[in-house]
Amino acid sequence: MRAAVFRGGELVVDDVAEPVPGKGQVLVKTLACGICGSDLHALHYAPRMVEASRRVSGRPGMDLAQDIVFGHEFCAEVIEHGPGTDKRHKVGTRVCSVPVTFTAAGSATVGYSNIAPGGYAERMVLSEGLMIEVPNGLSDEQAALTEPMAVGWHAVERARLTPNDVPLVIGCGPVGLAVIAGLRIKGVHPILAADFSPARRRLAETMGADIVLDPAEHSPYTRWQDEATPEGFDPENPLARLGVGPQRRPGVVFECVGVPGIIQQIFEGAMRNTRVVVVGVNMESDTIEPFFGITKEIDLQFVLGYTPQEFALALHHLAEGKIDGAPLVTGKVGVEGVKQAFQDLANPEAHAKIMVEPWR
Ligand SMILES: [Zn+2]
């Protein structure tokens, strides 16, 4: 079958072996698969990712000497059931799945594994038990947004928000936009969001940000502090710290950029007692000055991925129209177009999410 293959540090189009469903697996046709920032990262940082996962988990993850087919944000159609399946989804059913599959050799991440080719190929094998039917006639490409929306929903869930919190989202790429969508569903207001790109700021507004800010014009942290600060609050008054008089609303910052220096920037811009949720994936080493965190008593938290329940809920949010993902999809390509799409995604004015349609 045709696929965009990650081979020798490059993306090439080639024919790869047809996947065969093993026990409990189902062969599916890829209908749409989003290109994720993690895939862009993987193209540039693959050796570092392998090395880092070896150090973190003791497992190597991917063997870069062999082919890998990326693509973990997909909607697919059931073609054929493997042995030992219940056939609970009929042939022709459209499904989404957490990008994990169980094989005789153990579990594998679909799209980041040598044995589980992802959605940049015409066909994949998925585990029947993890597949969810796409409801309500939701379009293929919106269903393929389930995975990135689940990432945002998970971050918002892990932040343990209260209605009094004032959230600030730093970075409005697909991750930041998914966080904004999750915050809107949670009903926490005002939602502040900052990005240098005008197109991204427009999308932030569409996804539910109440106040969008251009960091080139003024500090998002100042505006956020203003929103959290009631009339009569005096940060210099020692009694205010003891809880006397009007108090600031608690601040929560979602870091959705993932480059060195951002966490320190947040430390410097944060109010006392801010909770910082790091959603952006920075593959470089980074430096922070802990003293900022200490004096401001900042809570620093990192999140990744989602639970299967959160994934299912994200699909539900899209299907019920609680999230309209349509404006996020800015392009569609076949497998031949994947390499160019990776480059095009560097321009935030032109693109947010490009869908791969390998059947094209
Ligand atoms: Zn992703």
Side-chain angles (χ1 to χ4, degrees):
M1 62 172 179
R2 300 294 280 167
V5 185
F6 181 57
R7 180 184 292 163
E10 296 276 350
L11 282 169
V12 297
V13 175
D14 202 357
D15 282 312
V16 297
E18 197 66 44
V20 179
K23 192 165 175 287
Q25 288 184 320
V26 175
L27 180 70
V28 297
K29 170 187 172 180
T30 310
L31 297 172
C33 180
I35 297 177
C36 177
S38 303
D39 299 334
L40 306 184
H41 266 95
L43 184 69
H44 295 110
Y45 291 101
R48 193 183 279 245
M49 279 171 98
V50 170
E51 161 68 7
S53 26
R54 200 194 311 272
R55 285 169 57 208
V56 171
S57 68
R59 281 178 280 119
M62 300 178 280
D63 175 4
L64 300 178
Q66 293 180 51
D67 285 355
I68 295 157
V69 178
F70 292 152
H72 59 273
E73 307 180 349
F74 46 77
C75 170
E77 182 185 317
V78 173
I79 301 176
E80 187 193 319
H81 296 88
T85 49
D86 301 339
K87 302 187 173 60
R88 71 183 78 161
H89 302 291
K90 286 195 310 245
V91 169
T93 306
R94 292 185 309 132
V95 295
C96 287
S97 169
V98 170
V100 172
T101 187
F102 305 108
T103 71
S107 71
T109 306
V110 177
Y112 288 123
S113 144
N114 303 102
I115 56 168
Y120 300 177
E122 290 178 277
R123 285 169 287 281
M124 300 177 281
V125 288
L126 302 175
S127 283
E128 183 179 46
L130 294 173
M131 296 185 340
I132 316 172
E133 183 169 348
V134 176
N136 289 3
L138 186 69
S139 73
D140 299 344
E141 67 253 30
Q142 283 225 48
L145 291 171
T146 300
E147 202 273 353
M149 288 302 139
V151 168
W153 181 248
H154 174 72
V156 167
E157 286 281 45
R158 290 296 298 264
R160 299 181 300 269
L161 296 162
T162 71
N164 199 30
D165 288 327
V166 181
L168 169 64
V169 180
I170 301 292
C172 300
V175 169
L177 294 169
V179 168
I180 292 167
L183 289 168
R184 173 157 74 177
I185 292 169
K186 284 281 179 193
V188 182
H189 295 286
I191 301 166
L192 292 95
D195 199 293
F196 286 101
S197 152
R200 294 254 158 113
R201 290 200 299 275
R202 278 194 298 276
L203 280 174
E205 224 160 52
T206 308
M207 297 309 281
D210 300 303
I211 301 168
V212 289
L213 302 159
D214 179 0
E217 265 183 21
H218 34 234
S219 160
Y221 303 102
T222 307
R223 179 63 193 274
W224 166 68
Q225 294 201 9
D226 290 347
E227 289 296 324
T229 306
E231 197 91 28
F233 174 80
D234 176 9
E236 304 305 323
N237 181 354
L239 287 176
R241 281 203 187 185
L242 299 173
V244 178
Q247 296 292 306
R248 270 178 168 158
R249 292 170 63 184
V252 183
V253 179
F254 292 89
E255 192 283 273
C256 302
V257 179
V259 299
I262 288 284
I263 296 174
Q264 177 62 24
Q265 184 203 90
I266 293 169
F267 274 20
E268 291 176 25
M271 301 179 281
R272 278 183 62 77
N273 297 319
T274 291
R275 284 135 59 208
V276 180
V277 183
V278 179
V279 203
V281 179
N282 171 20
M283 290 305 296
E284 307 275 355
S285 293
D286 200 359
T287 305
I288 56 161
E289 292 176 67
F291 194 61
F292 282 86
I294 293 161
T295 45
K296 295 183 180 186
E297 291 199 73
I298 289 169
D299 277 316
L300 180 59
Q301 179 183 11
F302 295 81
V303 299
L304 178 74
Y306 35 76
T307 65
Q309 289 78 12
E310 288 163 348
F311 184 91
L313 204 52
L315 176 57
H316 185 78
H317 289 153
L318 286 157
E320 295 289 311
K322 287 186 178 180
I323 300 174
D324 178 12
L328 264 62
V329 181
T330 50
K332 296 179 184 182
V333 294
V335 288
E336 278 77 13
V338 170
K339 189 177 177 165
Q340 182 62 42
F342 269 52
Q343 285 165 22
D344 295 346
L345 281 163
N347 178 4
E349 293 314 304
H351 286 294
K353 186 64 76 180
I354 296 179
M355 286 292 161
V356 183
E357 296 174 330
W359 44 267
R360 269 170 179 255

